[in-house]
Structure formats: C-alpha cells, structure tokens
Amino acid sequence: MHAKVNAVTARIRERSAATRARYLQHINAAKEQGTARRAVSCTNFAHSFAALPENDKLVLRAQRAPNLAIVSAYNDMLSAHQPLETFPALIKQAARDVGATAQFAGGVPAMCDGVTQGQTGMELSLWSRDVIAQATAVALSHAVFDAALLLGVCDKIVPGLLIGALAFGHLPVIFVPAGPMTTGMSNDEKAKVRQLFAQGKVDRDALLASEMASYHGPVLALSTAPPTRIRC
C-alpha cells in the first residue's frame, strides 16, 4: 500500500476511534439481543403483518423462520430501476419456498441528474443520498426483520442504501442490483448526430431519436430466471 494511503487511513482510524467504538457497541448489543421482533409487543407485532397472506401470517406467528425486509429504489421513469418492479414478488416467493417470509419494508427515492441536468432539480442530486439513507433506516426501524435485501443501482442510491443499512449493522444485508443493461448507440455515433444538429443538418426529431437510441434500455431483469435463483 502507498505510504500516503496508509497515513491517511491511520488518521481516519484514529480520528474515528471513539465514534466507531460507540457504533460497534450498539451493533454488538443489538446482536446479543437476538431476533428483534421477539421484543416487540404483541399489538405492534400483529400490526406489522396484518395485511399479509394467511400462510405468511402463520409463519410469522410461529417466529421460527427468518423474516426479510425488502427496500427498493424502484421507479419506472429510469431504465436502470424499472426492472426492480418485479423483484419483490420474486423475493417473497423465494422466501416462501424455503419456509421464510419477506415483506416490502419501504421505498426510497431515486433521481437521475442525467434528467435534471441544467435544471434546479440537479441541486437535489447529492442531497438525495442522505434522504435515501434516512428512508432506508426508516424502513428497517420497525424491528421485525432478521435480514434485508436492498434493491437499487446508481451512484447516489447505492451509497444511500448502504449508509442506511449500516445503522442496523447487526442485520445481514444483501445488495440486489437490477442487472446488466443492453448496449445503446455508441458515443461516436451519438456525437455525430449532435454535430449535425448543431450545424442545422438534421432536425430535432432526428436528434431526439438518436438520444433515445443511445440511452440504455431496461436491464436484463431476473424475471427470466426461476425464483429459486434468489436465495434466502
């Protein structure tokens, strides 16, 4: 490791020692307590699964199998997130197949500064990471989960989901991306059309068609795979 990197790492480790110790103490205490929902009152616990299918209710009442939280950044405006629409149902079924349960615990916002670029909305871009972290923590705060699956993609959503999940560091967490995306038009082709538009040689419809073709399509979602591929 480069000496400068080691020096910076050592400074961070020293400066964060006290807060890191408090964090680890909190996580270890939560881990020692065991399954959090065993400490939730009957009234509150019943409230947490009142809307579930009858078989899921029976499993949760027995409190012998894991209950998984699903936190998702799904929206159908951004192609990278759109396939996540189908994931919760697959995860819930996969959990049932192994005798467990899964609940959609909450959604988080997912914005794209590629859309808001040049508008006031882009000022929310980095700030949205903190909102996502808070929304993730809110979703997991109900204390009825044994583990979590975080569904998301992109440079602000992924860190936000991770930061929120770290507030519940005693829970096992799996990050679930949407998958690989199809290839769009090459940058060279796109640049050529933009140049022609700037020169007045093609119209706006041609430019828009090029931009639409250059953006990636929906990712190759897991809906083509059997639910058992998603393991609990």
Side-chain angles (χ1 to χ4, degrees), residues 67-107:
N67 184 38
L68 311 177
I70 302 169
V71 180
S72 176
Y74 160 72
N75 65 62
D76 59 10
M77 183 187 70
L78 305 175
S79 58
H81 300 271
Q82 183 269 336
L84 296 175
E85 177 184 12
T86 62
F87 282 26
L90 294 171
I91 293 169
K92 290 177 184 180
Q93 188 55 53
R96 293 183 186 115
D97 290 345
V98 294
T101 52
Q103 293 179 274
F104 192 94

Side-chain angles (χ1 to χ4, degrees), residues 10-231:
R11 284 205 308 272
I12 293 173
R13 185 179 291 119
E14 181 180 358
R15 193 167 62 238
S16 65
T19 54
R20 191 168 67 252
R22 288 196 296 271
Y23 170 75
L24 292 175
Q25 184 179 15
H26 166 72
I27 297 305
N28 288 332
K31 186 177 180 180
E32 290 285 330
Q33 181 181 334
T35 303
R37 69 175 182 272
R38 295 186 183 279
V40 176
S41 71
C42 288
T43 300
N44 293 353
F45 183 46
H47 194 174
S48 74
F49 62 87
L52 292 187
E54 199 60 38
N55 285 345
D56 287 351
K57 288 182 183 179
L58 293 174
V59 174
L60 277 166
R61 285 182 64 178
Q63 297 202 56
R64 288 194 293 266
N67 184 38
L68 311 177
I70 302 169
V71 180
S72 176
Y74 160 72
N75 65 62
D76 59 10
M77 183 187 70
L78 305 175
S79 58
H81 300 271
Q82 183 269 336
L84 296 175
E85 177 184 12
T86 62
F87 282 26
L90 294 171
I91 293 169
K92 290 177 184 180
Q93 188 55 53
R96 293 183 186 115
D97 290 345
V98 294
T101 52
Q103 293 179 274
F104 192 94
V108 304
M111 68 166 293
C112 179
D113 42 18
V115 177
T116 60
Q117 209 166 54
Q119 306 176 60
T120 54
M122 70 182 295
E123 297 171 5
L124 297 174
S125 180
L126 292 179
W127 183 63
S128 72
R129 182 192 62 185
D130 296 335
V131 176
I132 292 162
Q134 291 175 344
T136 302
V138 168
L140 298 178
S141 69
H142 296 94
V144 294
F145 306 113
D146 301 283
L149 293 97
L150 309 180
L151 282 55
V153 69
C154 205
D155 56 354
K156 295 164 292 295
I157 293 91
V158 174
L161 290 168
L162 175 61
I163 293 168
L166 285 173
F168 298 84
H170 58 289
L171 293 178
V173 173
I174 296 176
F175 179 73
V176 185
M181 300 182 77
T182 55
T183 303
M185 179 186 290
S186 72
N187 287 335
D188 288 343
E189 292 177 278
K190 178 169 64 174
K192 182 63 176 177
V193 176
R194 288 179 175 179
Q195 291 169 4
L196 292 172
F197 178 76
Q199 296 167 8
K201 295 180 178 179
V202 298
D203 60 12
R204 187 177 182 278
D205 286 342
L207 176 64
L208 186 58
S210 170
E211 295 297 322
M212 290 172 62
S214 66
Y215 279 98
H216 302 300
V219 300
L220 303 177
L222 291 182
S223 57
T224 56
T228 50
R229 291 289 300 278
I230 306 174
R231 304 306 300 169

